[in-house]
Amino acid sequence: MLEKRVALVTGASRGIGKAIAQELAGDGIYVVLNCSAHADAAEAAAEEIRQAGGEAEAVPFSVDDETQVKEAVDGILARLGRIDILVNNAGITRDGLLMMMKPKDFEDVMRVNLFGTYYCTKAVIRQMVKRRIGRIVNISSISGIMGNAGQANYSASKAGIIGFTKAVAREMAGRNITVNAIAPGFIDTDMTRAMSAELREKAAAQIPVGHFGTPEDVARAVSFLVSEDSGYITGQVLAVDGGMSM
């Protein structure tokens, strides 16, 4: 069994997930980077961590496929002997006004964002219970707190993650396993960079601190929630949003 702590970070090929993986590796944690559609990018991100002196590997699987999730987690446990930390970050968007939203667009977002969180948590939780230690951080969104026009599917999935977080936190509280959520606001990623300059300006005007956050802002919050210092914190939703949702 690997002696150092092991973290599985889903959706880690770029953006927030990649920043989380890099931050945890910098904390001395062995990081398993997951992605589905961008396996090469995940491997490149893992190589960056190794070049910087950390330990990491990339494991591609689709979080919305329960069989793939279970097989991947079983493989990680067979090789490394443990998963101490799970960060459910993988997510997609299929934006559109509700009147024109296709059922498949609603279902796809729910399956990746919410079902993916369920499948991955279920797959890792038993060995955490057996070892009586674990940290789970689910990446929600301020859209799951405030709602967002044109994102009925995304907002529903992220609100579901918050409810899921609180329920599982209650189930696991007596087993030394904490379960928390982070709700990022507008973060400077490929997704927000695709917004028009006008939309970005309007979005920034809604943020009390006056600017978008960075993936590293979210990563540092994750680092704290998986640390020993956060052992008395569970079932919470930490908004990393520059004050937007207060």
Side-chain angles (χ1 to χ4, degrees):
M1 177 185 288
L2 195 69
E3 290 302 317
K4 63 167 52 182
R5 291 196 297 167
V6 175
L8 170 59
V9 182
T10 68
S13 64
R14 58 181 180 171
I16 290 173
K18 180 179 177 180
I20 292 169
Q22 291 173 326
E23 185 77 18
L24 297 186
D27 292 338
I29 297 167
Y30 187 105
V31 183
V32 180
L33 294 81
N34 153 264
C35 75
S36 174
H38 305 283
D40 290 346
E43 178 54 43
E47 179 60 22
E48 285 183 38
I49 289 172
R50 293 191 291 265
Q51 289 293 328
E55 294 185 83
E57 63 178 91
V59 177
F61 61 88
S62 296
V63 299
D64 62 340
D65 185 318
E66 186 175 17
T67 299
Q68 286 191 38
V69 171
K70 186 177 185 306
E71 290 177 351
V73 168
D74 286 349
I76 294 166
L77 293 173
R79 290 194 309 278
L80 305 177
R82 61 196 296 170
I83 297 175
D84 305 271
I85 297 160
L86 171 65
V87 182
N88 285 304
N89 170 74
I92 62 170
T93 57
R94 297 286 186 272
D95 294 352
L97 294 175
L98 180 63
M99 290 185 297
M100 294 176 284
M101 186 176 289
K102 298 176 182 178
K104 189 175 187 308
D105 289 338
F106 196 96
E107 182 180 347
D108 285 351
V109 170
M110 294 296 286
R111 285 199 62 81
V112 173
N113 298 5
L114 185 54
F115 276 73
T117 297
Y118 156 66
Y119 290 145
C120 292
T121 303
K122 184 180 178 182
V124 306
I125 204 82
R126 189 178 297 274
Q127 57 90 36
M128 287 183 176
V129 168
K130 185 177 180 180
R131 296 173 48 241
R132 296 189 67 82
I133 190 167
R135 296 282 190 270
I136 298 172
V137 179
N138 301 319
I139 305 301
S140 180
S141 169
I142 60 164
S143 294
I145 298 173
M146 301 171 59
N148 194 29
Q151 288 193 319
N153 48 5
Y154 186 77
S155 297
S157 71
K158 294 300 187 177
I161 286 173
I162 291 173
F164 177 84
T165 297
K166 291 178 178 292
V168 179
R170 286 188 178 274
E171 291 182 16
M172 295 295 118
R175 295 173 169 85
N176 197 31
I177 298 168
T178 65
V179 189
N180 292 288
I182 290 177
F186 283 104
I187 304 298
D188 189 19
T189 63
D190 290 345
M191 186 185 302
T192 55
R193 289 185 203 114
M195 297 166 60
S196 68
E198 181 182 4
L199 282 176
R200 284 178 62 91
E201 186 175 341
K202 286 182 178 179
Q206 299 176 54
I207 305 170
V209 302
H211 60 83
F212 284 20
T214 68
E216 290 72 25
D217 290 323
V218 180
R220 286 189 286 269
V222 173
S223 174
F224 169 68
L225 287 175
V226 305
S227 71
E228 293 183 5
D229 293 336
S230 68
Y232 200 58
I233 300 172
T234 195
Q236 302 305 303
V237 182
L238 175 59
V240 181
D241 63 358
M244 187 174 176
S245 63
M246 67 179 173

